[in-house]
Structures are given as C-alpha cells and as structure tokens.
Amino acid sequence: MKVAVLGAGRMGETVINHLLKSELVDGIVAQDIRPERVAELIARYGIGGAVELDDVLADAGIPVVFVTSSNDAHRELTTRALRAGKAVMTEKPMATRFDDAADMVAEAERTGGFLQVGFELRYSRLYTTVKDWIDAGLLGRVVNTSCTYISSEFWGPHAWRRTKAGSGGMFGEKLSHYVDLSRWWVGDAVRDVYAPAAPNVVPYFEVHDNFHATHRFAGGATGHLTFMMAPAAKVESDPLQAPDYVPGDGHELSYLVVGTAGAARTDVFARTVSRWTFELTDAGLVSTLVETRSWTKEEDHRYIHNTHDQTLDIVRRVAAGQPPSIAPRDALDTMRLCFAAERSAEEGRIVGLDEIG
Ligand SMILES: NC(=O)c1ccc[n+]([C@@H]2O[C@H](COP(=O)([O-])OP(=O)(O)OC[C@H]3O[C@@H](n4cnc5c(N)ncnc54)[C@H](O)[C@@H]3O)[C@@H](O)[C@H]2O)c1
C-alpha cells in the first residue's frame, strides 16, 4: 500500500524510515507546507512528495496517513483525512486544545474511520513488561504510580513547543506519554488532578517547565508525576556522563508502580525494569526482588520509545481491516487529564476531569 506522512519534519522522517522497512508499503508520500523540506526528503529517500494536502487526499491509492506535523495542525490534518476516507495515525498530543481533540474523535466516530493516537510507549518493551506483569496478576491491584522525569532544555529558544499556542502546554507535548501509562496500568477513570507549577527555570518558555502533578482515580488509586527541567546531574555513576551520551531527553526517567501484591520499577537510563513481590509473614509484610530485565543500548529504539513497532503495527492493522490498538476515546481521556493538569497549574487548585470538555 501507499502511505502518506503529513507534516514531514523530524518525527515524519523517523516514520518514513520505519515505513521503508515494511513489506506492506510500496510507496511513501511526504507532505509538508515547506516545499524545501519536501524536496529534501524526495532527494534523500527517493520517495514521493506533496506540498498541497488536497493532492494527498485526492489520491485513492493512499489508504492511511501519519499526521506528524506540529501540534497546532493535528486537528485539521486529521479531520480532513478522515473525511477523505483515510485511516489516520496522529501524533500525541492530539491537539493544542481539548475541544479540537474531541472534534477529531467525533469525526472518526461519524465517519467510522480508523484513528490511532501516537501513545507509542504502549509499544515500549520497558512499559509493556510492566503491563504484562499487571495483567498476569503479579502486582495485585495497582494502587499507586509515581514517575520522576528530569530533563534538560533541548528544544531551544525558537521551537514551536515552547509556546502554549504551538504545543498546547508541557503536559500534552511531553508528559502525556507518562500519564497515559498510569491510566493504562491502573485501568480506571481519573477523577481529578492537582498540578502545582513552580516558577519557570527556562526564561523563554511560555509553558511550565517545573511542576508536580497528582491524579486520583475513581476507585481510589493515585498517580504522581514530578517533572523538572534542570541541568544534568554530575555524578560519577551517572550513565548520562558516558562519552557517547548526547545531551537531551532526560537525566532521570523512572516509574514506580505499586500494587497490593507487588511492585515494579522502570529505569530508562539504567535500561532496567524490576519486580518485587509482597508477602505477609509473621514478621510483617516482606518485599522481595524477584526479577530484573535489562536491554542493551542497541535495542534502545524498541525498549524505550517504540515508534518503530507502532508504525508497522498500524500499517498491518489497516491492511487487515483491524481497529486501532488504542481506542480514540481512551486517548481522548489521556488528553482530558493533560488539559485538566494544565488548568490546575494555571489556577492552583484541584481540577475535576468532568470540568474539561
Ligand atoms: N515519541 C514521540 O511520541 C514523539 C517524539 C517527537 C515528536 N513527537 C510529535 O511529533 C510531532 C512533530 O514533532 P517534530 O519534532 O517532528 O516537529 P518538527 O518541527 O520537526 O516538524 C513539524 C513539521 O510539521 C510541518 N507542518 C506544520 N504545519 C503543517 C501543516 N498545516 N501541514 C503540513 N505540515 C505542517 C512543519 O513544516 C514541520 O516540517 C509533534 O506532534 C510531536 O509532539 C512525538
């Protein structure tokens, strides 16, 4: 099949590289509003290109499009593609405003079209391992999740991401992945969120760059996320001080998932995930480390972020006439939590999810 990539910047090029590996794909069209970018990709990969969206939408030989534009264009590209009968994968965050994200889901439901949102960490080996343990009952009922994410500022002073209008906020642009994981693991509706933001560290950011966020689920479970944009920690054992480390996405990125029967801890930079069991003994509740899995640096593209398997899975699903692996309304609920957290940071109060949309 022929596949189009709409908004072919950095992420679009990553998707093109994945598509080139698919046996089901025999043609790729890179579409972008920047003609020089389209020309560059045509020359680099020998693929097709378009500047006008209508040229892609009118091509009946293209059944599926990947929307990898900046966030402010997701709604328009997605709804127009769905209306033209295309299956759509759209990047996270779905949109810069909740109402736009809701429009996208409504359009998919109205047309009966395929819409999958790029919460690709649900394909990551690190996080699917935790989900498999939960589904096998090894953690019991998940009652508490906690994510610590410390990142450097690697967007730069001119990135569209640093403005609220461009990205929709830090929560959608960067942290939506991590609250999506919490929702996925706990498997319950989020009731409310409190996200106090600290004064900004990065002077040219309109979006918040340091905060905590706690969300509560209807059944009583809780989830917490600490996000800090900060300089790199300089400690001897820091794997990020290795000579081949490229400064960028984080200095600490870990998740602790606590259930009634056990716990799991992921550590992206140590490339490990570990599991503990809890056992009630005469001496009290005893916690035992039972398993640790690790990956090599060569496996990074699969075990941390996994847009590779996500892309190939979506192509396979569309070819087989199967539904998306993440229901659009499930993705919309993650976006609802992100926009509630943004409102909480603005207004300094607990925000109910029922206040959004
Ligand atoms: N792991 C992940 O999930 C992950 C990682 C990186 C980026 N992303 C997402 O991918 C998207 C793109 O990020 P990026 O880093 O590639 O940004 P980028 O700035 O490199 O590319 C965005 C491209 O969109 C194009 N564009 C803007 N408006 C358009 C329109 N109306 N029609 C067509 N093209 C348009 C721009 O010209 C640019 O080439 C964002 O939504 C981002 O959140 C996801």
Side-chain angles (χ1 to χ4, degrees):
M1 69 169 76
K2 203 154 107 181
V3 181
V5 175
L6 311 182
R10 269 175 304 178
M11 193 60 197
E13 187 164 357
T14 300
V15 169
I16 288 167
N17 276 289
H18 300 326
L19 292 170
L20 287 167
K21 293 187 197 133
S22 169
E23 289 168 2
L24 295 170
V25 174
D26 55 16
I28 300 171
V29 177
Q31 184 272 341
D32 200 286
I33 48 173
R34 292 184 294 144
E36 70 283 5
R37 177 61 175 165
V38 175
E40 185 184 335
L41 292 170
I42 293 172
R44 188 170 300 152
Y45 297 103
I47 58 176
V51 174
E52 296 302 328
L53 176 64
D54 284 338
D55 292 343
V56 174
L57 300 186
D59 186 339
I62 298 178
V64 54
V65 301
F66 284 74
V67 175
T68 55
S69 68
S70 45
N71 305 346
D72 55 354
H74 289 179
R75 189 194 72 87
E76 191 198 347
L77 294 173
T78 298
T79 52
R80 287 181 62 188
L82 284 166
R83 239 173 279 145
K86 313 294 183 196
V88 179
M89 178 273 169
T90 191
E91 266 302 342
K92 51 42 70 177
M94 293 178 73
T96 54
R97 296 170 346 116
F98 180 79
D99 289 351
D100 288 349
D103 282 353
M104 292 156 74
V105 175
E107 196 60 44
E109 289 174 350
R110 194 186 64 77
T111 58
F114 178 108
L115 174 62
Q116 183 162 332
V117 178
F119 288 122
E120 46 91 8
L121 294 190
R122 294 200 195 190
Y123 289 85
S124 154
R125 300 293 157 86
L126 194 62
Y127 302 120
T128 56
T129 300
V130 176
K131 177 76 166 120
D132 290 346
W133 287 341
I134 293 167
D135 289 349
L138 297 174
L139 304 193
R141 185 166 71 89
V142 177
V143 294
N144 196 5
T145 73
S146 180
C147 178
T148 302
Y149 189 0
I150 305 176
S151 169
S152 62
E153 196 300 270
F154 60 100
W155 293 344
H158 306 297
W160 52 260
R161 292 171 159 85
R162 71 183 179 83
T163 69
K164 195 106 191 205
S167 71
M170 183 67 83
F171 242 92
E173 172 52 24
K174 209 152 173 51
L175 306 176
S176 50
H177 280 309
Y178 302 99
V179 289
D180 182 62
L181 287 176
S182 168
R183 288 189 56 254
W184 190 44
W185 289 327
V186 172
D188 190 11
V190 177
R191 195 176 66 192
D192 54 30
V193 59
Y194 180 53
N200 263 26
V201 171
V202 186
Y204 46 83
F205 270 16
E206 273 177 27
V207 297
H208 295 295
D209 61 16
N210 271 269
F211 46 80
H212 303 283
T214 300
H215 51 283
R216 294 188 292 190
F217 290 85
T222 58
H224 182 79
L225 185 149
T226 291
F227 179 72
M228 296 182 185
M229 229 171 210
K234 295 262 181 208
V235 292
E236 285 293 308
S237 58
D238 186 346
L240 301 182
Q241 299 306 315
D244 58 349
Y245 169 64
V246 180
D249 197 357
H251 305 296
E252 182 175 343
L253 179 41
S254 61
Y255 231 123
L256 183 60
V257 184
V258 179
T260 50
R265 188 177 195 282
T266 65
D267 186 330
V268 163
F269 297 112
R271 298 189 175 85
T272 57
V273 55
S274 303
R275 180 170 70 82
W276 287 259
T277 54
F278 301 155
E279 192 190 351
L280 201 52
T281 69
D282 291 344
L285 191 73
V286 175
S287 163
T288 310
L289 176 64
V290 283
E291 110 179 81
T292 295
R293 294 189 195 172
S294 57
W295 289 263
T296 65
K297 188 171 172 50
E298 288 63 43
E299 297 167 296
D300 272 4
H301 67 294
R302 281 222 163 98
Y303 106 88
I304 314 176
H305 288 286
N306 197 351
T307 57
H308 174 273
D309 287 358
Q310 173 182 259
T311 304
L312 299 192
D313 183 48
I314 287 169
V315 168
R316 191 188 55 72
R317 282 172 182 275
V318 172
Q322 292 172 342
S325 71
I326 304 168
R329 289 225 163 251
D330 189 2
L332 186 63
D333 281 341
T334 291
M335 294 311 305
R336 194 187 304 274
L337 172 52
C338 292
F339 287 108
E342 289 289 344
R343 186 177 293 180
S344 175
E346 291 311 318
E347 300 180 6
R349 64 179 179 91
I350 297 174
V351 173
L353 276 268
D354 57 3
E355 294 181 49
I356 307 297

Tab-separated table of all heavy atoms in Angstrom, residues 6-13 31-34 37 51 53 67-74 76-77 91-93 118-121 160-161 172-174 177 305-307 310, ligand 1:
chain	number	residue	atom	x	y	z
A	6	LEU	N	2.027	13.316	6.819
A	6	LEU	CA	1.586	14.712	6.740
A	6	LEU	C	2.297	15.544	7.805
A	6	LEU	O	2.100	15.323	9.002
A	6	LEU	CB	0.061	14.800	6.940
A	6	LEU	CG	-0.809	13.842	6.114
A	6	LEU	CD1	-2.296	14.091	6.404
A	6	LEU	CD2	-0.519	13.982	4.625
A	7	GLY	N	3.107	16.503	7.377
A	7	GLY	CA	3.924	17.273	8.303
A	7	GLY	C	5.212	16.498	8.515
A	7	GLY	O	5.377	15.805	9.523
A	8	ALA	N	6.097	16.582	7.531
A	8	ALA	CA	7.259	15.682	7.499
A	8	ALA	C	8.513	16.360	8.035
A	8	ALA	O	9.499	16.569	7.321
A	8	ALA	CB	7.465	15.154	6.080
A	9	GLY	N	8.463	16.715	9.331
A	9	GLY	CA	9.658	17.255	9.995
A	9	GLY	C	10.487	16.105	10.548
A	9	GLY	O	10.623	15.056	9.912
A	10	ARG	N	10.993	16.281	11.781
A	10	ARG	CA	11.863	15.241	12.364
A	10	ARG	C	11.117	13.937	12.613
A	10	ARG	O	11.585	12.859	12.273
A	10	ARG	CB	12.478	15.750	13.670
A	10	ARG	CG	13.814	16.431	13.455
A	10	ARG	CD	14.327	17.017	14.734
A	10	ARG	NE	13.331	17.938	15.301
A	10	ARG	CZ	13.460	18.591	16.446
A	10	ARG	NH1	14.521	18.407	17.175
A	10	ARG	NH2	12.527	19.424	16.868
A	11	MET	N	9.926	14.047	13.227
A	11	MET	CA	9.166	12.822	13.526
A	11	MET	C	8.688	12.181	12.227
A	11	MET	O	8.684	10.952	12.099
A	11	MET	CB	7.976	13.153	14.427
A	11	MET	CG	7.339	11.945	15.019
A	11	MET	SD	8.572	11.076	16.017
A	11	MET	CE	7.795	9.517	16.158
A	12	GLY	N	8.285	13.018	11.280
A	12	GLY	CA	7.849	12.499	9.986
A	12	GLY	C	8.961	11.683	9.322
A	12	GLY	O	8.712	10.612	8.767
A	13	GLU	N	10.186	12.171	9.433
A	13	GLU	CA	11.309	11.444	8.818
A	13	GLU	C	11.558	10.116	9.546
A	13	GLU	O	11.889	9.099	8.921
A	13	GLU	CB	12.571	12.312	8.837
A	13	GLU	CG	13.705	11.672	8.066
A	13	GLU	CD	14.834	12.629	7.720
A	13	GLU	OE1	14.720	13.838	8.029
A	13	GLU	OE2	15.834	12.161	7.140
A	31	GLN	N	4.372	14.819	2.792
A	31	GLN	CA	3.670	16.084	2.553
A	31	GLN	C	4.051	17.058	3.653
A	31	GLN	O	4.078	16.707	4.833
A	31	GLN	CB	2.150	15.841	2.539
A	31	GLN	CG	1.317	17.070	2.200
A	31	GLN	CD	0.950	17.927	3.414
A	31	GLN	OE1	1.005	17.474	4.545
A	31	GLN	NE2	0.610	19.191	3.167
A	32	ASP	N	4.360	18.289	3.260
A	32	ASP	CA	4.696	19.330	4.245
A	32	ASP	C	4.431	20.681	3.597
A	32	ASP	O	4.537	20.826	2.373
A	32	ASP	CB	6.180	19.226	4.663
A	32	ASP	CG	6.459	19.920	6.001
A	32	ASP	OD1	6.482	21.175	6.027
A	32	ASP	OD2	6.637	19.205	7.013
A	33	ILE	N	4.076	21.674	4.417
A	33	ILE	CA	3.833	23.018	3.871
A	33	ILE	C	5.139	23.694	3.454
A	33	ILE	O	5.107	24.713	2.780
A	33	ILE	CB	3.085	23.921	4.885
A	33	ILE	CG1	3.740	23.845	6.265
A	33	ILE	CG2	1.605	23.568	4.965
A	33	ILE	CD1	3.166	24.824	7.285
A	34	ARG	N	6.293	23.129	3.835
A	34	ARG	CA	7.583	23.712	3.443
A	34	ARG	C	8.111	22.970	2.211
A	34	ARG	O	8.563	21.814	2.321
A	34	ARG	CB	8.600	23.585	4.581
A	34	ARG	CG	8.268	24.444	5.801
A	34	ARG	CD	9.358	24.340	6.842
A	34	ARG	NE	9.469	23.013	7.417
A	34	ARG	CZ	10.601	22.424	7.771
A	34	ARG	NH1	11.756	23.035	7.565
A	34	ARG	NH2	10.602	21.222	8.312
A	37	ARG	N	11.528	21.331	2.387
A	37	ARG	CA	11.591	20.103	3.192
A	37	ARG	C	11.125	18.897	2.347
A	37	ARG	O	11.717	17.819	2.411
A	37	ARG	CB	10.716	20.265	4.436
A	37	ARG	CG	10.626	19.048	5.310
A	37	ARG	CD	11.978	18.621	5.869
A	37	ARG	NE	11.836	17.515	6.809
A	37	ARG	CZ	12.834	16.768	7.229
A	37	ARG	NH1	14.074	16.979	6.797
A	37	ARG	NH2	12.628	15.786	8.087
A	51	VAL	N	3.174	19.253	-1.527
A	51	VAL	CA	3.033	20.420	-0.650
A	51	VAL	C	1.551	20.615	-0.336
A	51	VAL	O	1.185	20.954	0.783
A	51	VAL	CB	3.631	21.679	-1.321
A	51	VAL	CG1	3.361	22.920	-0.476
A	51	VAL	CG2	5.132	21.491	-1.544
A	53	LEU	N	-2.068	19.496	0.608
A	53	LEU	CA	-2.741	18.377	1.278
A	53	LEU	C	-3.768	17.737	0.350
A	53	LEU	O	-3.922	16.512	0.319
A	53	LEU	CB	-3.423	18.890	2.559
A	53	LEU	CG	-4.241	17.865	3.331
A	53	LEU	CD1	-3.363	16.742	3.879
A	53	LEU	CD2	-4.998	18.541	4.475
A	67	VAL	N	-0.064	11.568	10.701
A	67	VAL	CA	-0.020	13.012	10.966
A	67	VAL	C	1.107	13.283	11.961
A	67	VAL	O	0.982	12.989	13.156
A	67	VAL	CB	-1.371	13.521	11.499
A	67	VAL	CG1	-1.278	14.990	11.891
A	67	VAL	CG2	-2.466	13.298	10.466
A	68	THR	N	2.202	13.839	11.453
A	68	THR	CA	3.380	14.094	12.298
A	68	THR	C	3.772	15.574	12.242
A	68	THR	O	4.931	15.934	12.428
A	68	THR	CB	4.568	13.216	11.849
A	68	THR	OG1	4.792	13.450	10.451
A	68	THR	CG2	4.312	11.747	12.079
A	69	SER	N	2.793	16.426	11.982
A	69	SER	CA	3.039	17.871	11.948
A	69	SER	C	3.207	18.410	13.368
A	69	SER	O	3.000	17.676	14.345
A	69	SER	CB	1.841	18.580	11.301
A	69	SER	OG	0.731	18.459	12.170
A	70	SER	N	3.498	19.699	13.472
A	70	SER	CA	3.439	20.350	14.780
A	70	SER	C	1.997	20.242	15.301
A	70	SER	O	1.044	20.089	14.526
A	70	SER	CB	3.886	21.810	14.667
A	70	SER	OG	3.290	22.423	13.543
A	71	ASN	N	1.850	20.340	16.629
A	71	ASN	CA	0.570	20.012	17.278
A	71	ASN	C	-0.600	20.860	16.792
A	71	ASN	O	-1.736	20.392	16.751
A	71	ASN	CB	0.711	20.175	18.792
A	71	ASN	CG	1.853	19.358	19.346
A	71	ASN	OD1	2.375	18.486	18.662
A	71	ASN	ND2	2.255	19.643	20.580
A	72	ASP	N	-0.325	22.130	16.454
A	72	ASP	CA	-1.412	23.037	16.082
A	72	ASP	C	-2.106	22.631	14.782
A	72	ASP	O	-3.197	23.117	14.493
A	72	ASP	CB	-0.902	24.487	15.998
A	72	ASP	CG	0.279	24.638	15.057
A	72	ASP	OD1	0.795	23.609	14.554
A	72	ASP	OD2	0.709	25.781	14.820
A	73	ALA	N	-1.495	21.746	13.989
A	73	ALA	CA	-2.106	21.337	12.714
A	73	ALA	C	-2.748	19.950	12.784
A	73	ALA	O	-3.351	19.497	11.810
A	73	ALA	CB	-1.057	21.375	11.602
A	74	HIS	N	-2.636	19.264	13.934
A	74	HIS	CA	-3.155	17.885	14.013
A	74	HIS	C	-4.652	17.804	13.714
A	74	HIS	O	-5.098	16.913	13.002
A	74	HIS	CB	-2.910	17.289	15.407
A	74	HIS	CG	-1.471	16.981	15.682
A	74	HIS	ND1	-1.038	16.455	16.876
A	74	HIS	CD2	-0.350	17.117	14.937
A	74	HIS	CE1	0.275	16.279	16.849
A	74	HIS	NE2	0.716	16.697	15.684
A	76	GLU	N	-6.741	19.782	12.007
A	76	GLU	CA	-7.160	19.994	10.619
A	76	GLU	C	-6.735	18.825	9.732
A	76	GLU	O	-7.524	18.300	8.939
A	76	GLU	CB	-6.572	21.304	10.077
A	76	GLU	CG	-7.218	21.670	8.757
A	76	GLU	CD	-6.453	22.681	7.933
A	76	GLU	OE1	-5.526	23.306	8.467
A	76	GLU	OE2	-6.783	22.812	6.738
A	77	LEU	N	-5.491	18.405	9.863
A	77	LEU	CA	-4.997	17.323	9.005
A	77	LEU	C	-5.770	16.031	9.275
A	77	LEU	O	-6.131	15.300	8.349
A	77	LEU	CB	-3.498	17.113	9.246
A	77	LEU	CG	-2.591	18.295	8.830
A	77	LEU	CD1	-1.157	18.060	9.275
A	77	LEU	CD2	-2.653	18.521	7.325
A	91	GLU	N	-0.066	12.034	15.813
A	91	GLU	CA	0.877	12.128	16.926
A	91	GLU	C	0.194	12.659	18.184
A	91	GLU	O	-0.801	13.355	18.128
A	91	GLU	CB	2.045	13.053	16.547
A	91	GLU	CG	3.239	12.317	15.980
A	91	GLU	CD	3.785	11.266	16.948
A	91	GLU	OE1	3.487	11.327	18.151
A	91	GLU	OE2	4.482	10.365	16.497
A	92	LYS	N	0.798	12.323	19.328
A	92	LYS	CA	0.418	12.965	20.585
A	92	LYS	C	1.088	14.319	20.606
A	92	LYS	O	2.122	14.469	19.934
A	92	LYS	CB	0.806	12.150	21.800
A	92	LYS	CG	2.239	11.641	21.957
A	92	LYS	CD	3.420	12.453	21.634
A	92	LYS	CE	3.748	13.629	22.521
A	92	LYS	NZ	5.006	14.313	22.101
A	93	PRO	N	0.622	15.317	21.341
A	93	PRO	CA	-0.721	15.344	21.888
A	93	PRO	C	-1.708	15.465	20.742
A	93	PRO	O	-1.355	15.982	19.676
A	93	PRO	CB	-0.707	16.613	22.735
A	93	PRO	CG	0.266	17.504	22.030
A	93	PRO	CD	1.318	16.603	21.486
A	118	GLY	N	-0.683	8.578	18.809
A	118	GLY	CA	0.666	8.043	18.976
A	118	GLY	C	1.183	7.894	20.392
A	118	GLY	O	2.290	8.362	20.703
A	119	PHE	N	0.436	7.219	21.242
A	119	PHE	CA	0.966	6.900	22.576
A	119	PHE	C	1.839	5.654	22.465
A	119	PHE	O	1.485	4.556	22.903
A	119	PHE	CB	-0.174	6.756	23.593
A	119	PHE	CG	-0.797	8.075	23.939
A	119	PHE	CD1	-2.142	8.314	23.753
A	119	PHE	CD2	0.009	9.108	24.432
A	119	PHE	CE1	-2.699	9.557	24.050
A	119	PHE	CE2	-0.537	10.355	24.733
A	119	PHE	CZ	-1.889	10.577	24.537
A	120	GLU	N	3.010	5.879	21.843
A	120	GLU	CA	3.858	4.765	21.447
A	120	GLU	C	4.551	4.066	22.610
A	120	GLU	O	5.114	2.992	22.430
A	120	GLU	CB	4.882	5.224	20.400
A	120	GLU	CG	5.602	6.529	20.716
A	120	GLU	CD	6.891	6.390	21.475
A	120	GLU	OE1	7.349	5.263	21.654
A	120	GLU	OE2	7.435	7.433	21.911
A	121	LEU	N	4.490	4.675	23.826
A	121	LEU	CA	5.089	3.970	24.957
A	121	LEU	C	4.295	2.700	25.292
A	121	LEU	O	4.800	1.815	25.972
A	121	LEU	CB	5.206	4.874	26.184
A	121	LEU	CG	6.180	6.055	26.052
A	121	LEU	CD1	6.391	6.720	27.397
A	121	LEU	CD2	7.528	5.635	25.469
A	160	TRP	N	8.578	25.691	18.294
A	160	TRP	CA	7.130	25.906	18.460
A	160	TRP	C	6.660	25.330	19.791
A	160	TRP	O	5.663	25.756	20.361
A	160	TRP	CB	6.341	25.321	17.275
A	160	TRP	CG	6.614	23.887	16.916
A	160	TRP	CD1	7.412	23.429	15.900
A	160	TRP	CD2	6.099	22.702	17.557
A	160	TRP	NE1	7.438	22.056	15.872
A	160	TRP	CE2	6.624	21.580	16.882
A	160	TRP	CE3	5.245	22.474	18.633
A	160	TRP	CZ2	6.329	20.262	17.247
A	160	TRP	CZ3	4.941	21.168	19.000
A	160	TRP	CH2	5.486	20.078	18.313
A	161	ARG	N	7.369	24.354	20.306
A	161	ARG	CA	6.977	23.682	21.549
A	161	ARG	C	6.989	24.613	22.763
A	161	ARG	O	6.344	24.348	23.757
A	161	ARG	CB	7.958	22.549	21.839
A	161	ARG	CG	7.879	21.423	20.876
A	161	ARG	CD	9.022	20.477	21.133
A	161	ARG	NE	8.761	19.166	20.597
A	161	ARG	CZ	8.993	18.820	19.349
A	161	ARG	NH1	9.510	19.686	18.498
A	161	ARG	NH2	8.722	17.609	18.925
A	172	GLY	N	0.671	18.127	27.515
A	172	GLY	CA	0.334	17.394	26.301
A	172	GLY	C	1.573	17.026	25.512
A	172	GLY	O	1.751	15.878	25.105
A	173	GLU	N	2.463	18.000	25.341
A	173	GLU	CA	3.601	17.793	24.453
A	173	GLU	C	4.580	16.757	24.985
A	173	GLU	O	5.106	15.944	24.258
A	173	GLU	CB	4.307	19.140	24.208
A	173	GLU	CG	5.618	19.068	23.445
A	173	GLU	CD	5.554	18.300	22.123
A	173	GLU	OE1	4.473	18.186	21.520
A	173	GLU	OE2	6.615	17.792	21.700
A	174	LYS	N	4.830	16.778	26.280
A	174	LYS	CA	5.891	15.927	26.786
A	174	LYS	C	5.411	14.871	27.789
A	174	LYS	O	5.905	13.746	27.794
A	174	LYS	CB	6.943	16.821	27.465
A	174	LYS	CG	8.294	16.228	27.395
A	174	LYS	CD	9.406	17.210	27.404
A	174	LYS	CE	10.702	16.456	27.493
A	174	LYS	NZ	10.802	15.393	26.491
A	177	HIS	N	2.583	11.118	27.500
A	177	HIS	CA	3.016	9.712	27.467
A	177	HIS	C	2.957	9.080	28.858
A	177	HIS	O	2.558	7.934	29.017
A	177	HIS	CB	4.485	9.623	27.039
A	177	HIS	CG	4.700	9.732	25.565
A	177	HIS	ND1	4.024	8.967	24.659
A	177	HIS	CD2	5.561	10.488	24.846
A	177	HIS	CE1	4.447	9.248	23.441
A	177	HIS	NE2	5.375	10.176	23.523
A	305	HIS	N	11.473	4.256	23.629
A	305	HIS	CA	10.440	4.707	22.700
A	305	HIS	C	10.318	3.631	21.628
A	305	HIS	O	11.314	3.015	21.260
A	305	HIS	CB	10.845	6.033	22.061
A	305	HIS	CG	10.765	7.170	23.038
A	305	HIS	ND1	9.565	7.699	23.447
A	305	HIS	CD2	11.719	7.849	23.686
A	305	HIS	CE1	9.788	8.667	24.319
A	305	HIS	NE2	11.086	8.778	24.488
A	306	ASN	N	9.110	3.430	21.155
A	306	ASN	CA	8.981	2.388	20.127
A	306	ASN	C	8.034	2.821	19.024
A	306	ASN	O	7.016	2.186	18.762
A	306	ASN	CB	8.527	1.063	20.752
A	306	ASN	CG	8.777	-0.106	19.812
A	306	ASN	OD1	9.125	0.088	18.650
A	306	ASN	ND2	8.579	-1.316	20.298
A	307	THR	N	8.387	3.939	18.375
A	307	THR	CA	7.582	4.368	17.230
A	307	THR	C	7.751	3.370	16.077
A	307	THR	O	6.906	3.297	15.192
A	307	THR	CB	7.986	5.776	16.759
A	307	THR	OG1	9.381	5.784	16.440
A	307	THR	CG2	7.707	6.816	17.838
A	310	GLN	N	5.119	0.675	16.593
A	310	GLN	CA	3.818	1.341	16.460
A	310	GLN	C	3.488	1.567	14.978
A	310	GLN	O	2.388	1.257	14.518
A	310	GLN	CB	3.837	2.678	17.192
A	310	GLN	CG	2.580	3.517	16.954
A	310	GLN	CD	2.648	4.854	17.662
A	310	GLN	OE1	2.064	5.040	18.706
A	310	GLN	NE2	3.380	5.793	17.088
B	1	LIG	N1	7.997	9.785	20.733
B	1	LIG	C1	7.038	10.567	20.392
B	1	LIG	O1	5.928	10.244	20.636
B	1	LIG	C2	7.350	11.872	19.691
B	1	LIG	C3	8.667	12.318	19.562
B	1	LIG	C4	8.893	13.521	18.879
B	1	LIG	C5	7.838	14.234	18.349
B	1	LIG	N2	6.558	13.773	18.513
B	1	LIG	C6	5.416	14.525	17.964
B	1	LIG	O2	5.567	14.590	16.554
B	1	LIG	C7	5.060	15.833	16.064
B	1	LIG	C8	6.137	16.527	15.228
B	1	LIG	O3	7.267	16.802	16.010
B	1	LIG	P1	8.654	17.122	15.288
B	1	LIG	O4	9.691	17.058	16.317
B	1	LIG	O5	8.814	16.277	14.075
B	1	LIG	O6	8.437	18.644	14.836
B	1	LIG	P2	9.108	19.393	13.606
B	1	LIG	O7	9.002	20.839	13.889
B	1	LIG	O8	10.463	18.813	13.308
B	1	LIG	O9	8.174	19.022	12.356
B	1	LIG	C9	6.865	19.506	12.208
B	1	LIG	C10	6.588	19.654	10.706
B	1	LIG	O10	5.209	19.971	10.527
B	1	LIG	C11	5.129	20.833	9.386
B	1	LIG	N3	3.824	21.464	9.388
B	1	LIG	C12	3.339	22.433	10.237
B	1	LIG	N4	2.058	22.740	9.905
B	1	LIG	C13	1.712	21.937	8.862
B	1	LIG	C14	0.528	21.776	8.085
B	1	LIG	N5	-0.586	22.510	8.311
B	1	LIG	N6	0.521	20.867	7.083
B	1	LIG	C15	1.637	20.124	6.830
B	1	LIG	N7	2.789	20.243	7.508
B	1	LIG	C16	2.816	21.138	8.528
B	1	LIG	C17	6.305	21.774	9.576
B	1	LIG	O11	6.640	22.440	8.380
B	1	LIG	C18	7.385	20.793	10.047
B	1	LIG	O12	8.122	20.275	8.957
B	1	LIG	C19	4.610	16.616	17.296
B	1	LIG	O13	3.229	16.431	17.477
B	1	LIG	C20	5.363	15.964	18.444
B	1	LIG	O14	4.698	16.055	19.676
B	1	LIG	C21	6.308	12.599	19.153
